[in-house]
Amino acid sequence: MRPYYHDSLLPIFMSDPTPSSAFPNSNSEQAAEQIGSATNPVASLQSDRSGRTRQLLGMKGASPGESSIWKIRLQLMKPITWIPLMWGVICGAASSGQYTWTLEHVLIAAAAMLLAGPLLTGYTQTLNDFYDREIDAINEPYRPIPSGAISVPQVVTQILVLLVAGLGVAFALDLWAGHQFLTITTLAIGGSFLAYIYSAPPLKLKQNGWLGNYALGASYIALPWWTGHALFGDLNWTIAILTLIYSMAGLGIAVVNDFKSVEGDRQLGLKSLPVMFGISTAAWICVLAIDIFQMGIAAYLVSIGENLYATILIFLVIPQIVFQDMYFLRDPLKNDVKYQASAQPFLVLGMLLTGLALGHAGI
């Protein structure tokens, strides 16, 4: 649930005062964009639209100036981060082996995706921004809270509304599934608590690169997967353990997000992996976690006789390795977004493939 990504559990945005030494060539790139905008009105308009779209979605590279309170609230919820959680629900439904393409199941799956994405991920992201006010003022001062676009009481109200709505939907899904033990409600409560201790002191798991990023990875992969599986089938220990292992690949994905905030993390004493190990070593830790644990899942699929699914999963890992070499390992500070856009579609397709394999095997 960022917990139930990053900063997004899943889971820091405006004009960036970060020293240019932390982001090589950033000044020259910005200057080039400014020159291009000054000489080409069409390019300027397109750049403005792109910046506002990024702002609305909660992406890196957004522009300040939004005045609509509802768009500001949506920005706090970072819609771009909902997608992996909603996808995780689909993977869980597939692994249950009992999902059917009936109108009822489609509507119930949509309700579960509403739970995992807009409600609980939205809660998580808003909560994360609330507790990240200081670091966002350094890394991304155009975020709604440090920029003053929304007041603290309004943010607190949004957090509470999203949390209560999420727990209400989770309870309704348990009633539909006929659960004697409120599995989905329990997962929603657990994920919400994980989101809180991820962002809030005194625990603030994100202060530790290992604990925080694994919590984030599990929130993107294991929690929504468990929700989808429990909704249509019986959640069991095999599925729980396999998805926790898969979440180690999610840890690697979470580390990618840390490169955009290295300077702020360093100043505030947050022990992200890039801060602890340096940019190059952290980049290698990131890609190895992503690749090794996906290959481990492929090996498990071979062990249960799902050889075709395992082979396809291996083929989906190969382009990820290619993009890691092309973009991420060469310059993780500059190419983090480009790498994610290129490689992550293959990772999420692999997740669905694994869910289908587990459902086919009756695990």
Side-chain angles (χ1 to χ4, degrees):
M1 299 174 193
R2 183 167 159 234
Y4 202 31
Y5 35 326
H6 187 90
D7 277 349
S8 242
L9 273 188
L10 172 156
I12 301 185
F13 296 24
M14 269 177 110
S15 62
D16 190 351
T18 305
S20 60
S21 59
F23 296 91
N25 300 322
S26 60
N27 290 340
S28 61
E29 289 174 358
Q30 291 172 1
E33 289 177 0
Q34 291 170 357
I35 293 171
S37 297
T39 57
N40 189 337
V42 174
S44 178
L45 180 60
Q46 291 176 339
S47 176
D48 181 65
R49 288 177 177 172
S50 175
R52 290 189 177 278
T53 300
R54 286 174 174 271
Q55 181 187 41
L56 191 62
L57 294 176
M59 296 173 65
K60 179 181 176 182
S63 60
E66 183 57 64
S67 58
S68 168
I69 186 61
W70 296 109
K71 289 184 178 180
I72 291 168
R73 289 189 182 280
L74 188 61
Q75 183 187 358
L76 277 173
M77 294 163 65
K78 297 184 185 175
I80 196 68
T81 66
W82 303 348
I83 299 171
L85 282 294
M86 296 166 74
W87 187 260
V89 171
I90 295 172
C91 295
S95 68
S96 74
Q98 298 181 41
Y99 178 84
T100 59
W101 287 101
T102 61
L103 178 60
E104 181 182 18
H105 276 198
V106 169
L107 292 176
I108 290 297
M113 288 188 279
L114 171 68
L115 166 67
L119 295 180
L120 290 186
T121 304
Y123 152 80
T124 296
Q125 297 294 357
T126 307
L127 185 72
N128 186 69
D129 265 28
F130 176 77
Y131 284 107
D132 270 7
R133 302 188 299 275
E134 294 182 2
I135 195 170
D136 283 353
I138 297 172
N139 291 317
E140 294 170 297
Y142 55 83
R143 292 297 300 163
I145 302 175
S147 70
I150 188 170
S151 69
V152 169
Q154 287 175 310
V155 175
V156 172
T157 299
Q158 178 165 322
I159 291 169
L160 294 176
V161 168
L162 290 170
L163 176 60
V164 172
L167 296 181
V169 171
F171 181 71
L173 290 174
D174 273 321
L175 292 181
W176 176 86
H179 291 156
Q180 292 185 335
F181 177 79
L182 300 178
T183 306
I184 297 173
T185 304
T186 301
L187 290 174
I189 293 171
S192 301
F193 178 71
L194 182 61
Y196 177 79
I197 64 173
Y198 174 83
S199 297
L203 294 179
K204 202 174 179 72
L205 297 181
K206 66 182 297 179
Q207 293 182 110
N208 182 289
W210 293 110
L211 289 176
N213 284 317
Y214 184 71
L216 191 58
S219 297
Y220 270 113
I221 295 179
L223 282 175
W225 196 310
W226 296 350
T227 299
H229 192 103
L231 188 58
F232 297 103
D234 296 319
L235 185 60
N236 56 69
W237 283 108
T238 301
I239 293 295
I241 292 171
L242 281 174
T243 50
L244 287 173
I245 293 172
Y246 218 142
S247 296
M248 289 299 296
L251 178 148
I253 294 299
V255 175
V256 176
N257 293 305
D258 288 337
F259 288 92
K260 74 170 183 271
S261 54
V262 172
E263 189 63 28
D265 290 349
R266 186 178 289 118
Q267 290 182 29
L268 295 179
L270 299 181
K271 296 181 180 179
S272 68
L273 296 192
V275 171
M276 287 193 293
F277 297 104
I279 300 299
S280 179
T281 301
W284 274 104
I285 292 173
C286 172
V287 301
L288 289 174
I290 292 170
D291 299 340
I292 289 173
F293 287 97
Q294 286 183 90
M295 297 299 286
I297 294 295
Y300 174 78
L301 295 182
V302 170
S303 74
I304 61 173
E306 298 295 334
N307 297 330
L308 177 60
Y309 288 102
T311 302
I312 298 173
L313 180 57
I314 291 170
F315 279 117
L316 289 172
V317 174
I318 293 173
Q320 295 177 60
I321 295 173
V322 172
F323 288 123
Q324 287 161 2
D325 178 62
M326 286 177 59
Y327 299 132
F328 191 66
L329 291 174
R330 300 189 184 192
D331 193 340
L333 296 176
K334 179 180 178 181
N335 296 327
D336 57 339
V337 174
K338 184 183 293 185
Y339 163 69
Q340 288 177 309
S342 302
Q344 286 198 28
F346 296 98
L347 183 141
V348 298
L349 283 175
M351 288 172 54
L352 179 58
L353 183 80
T354 301
L356 291 169
L358 296 174
H360 182 259
I363 299 300

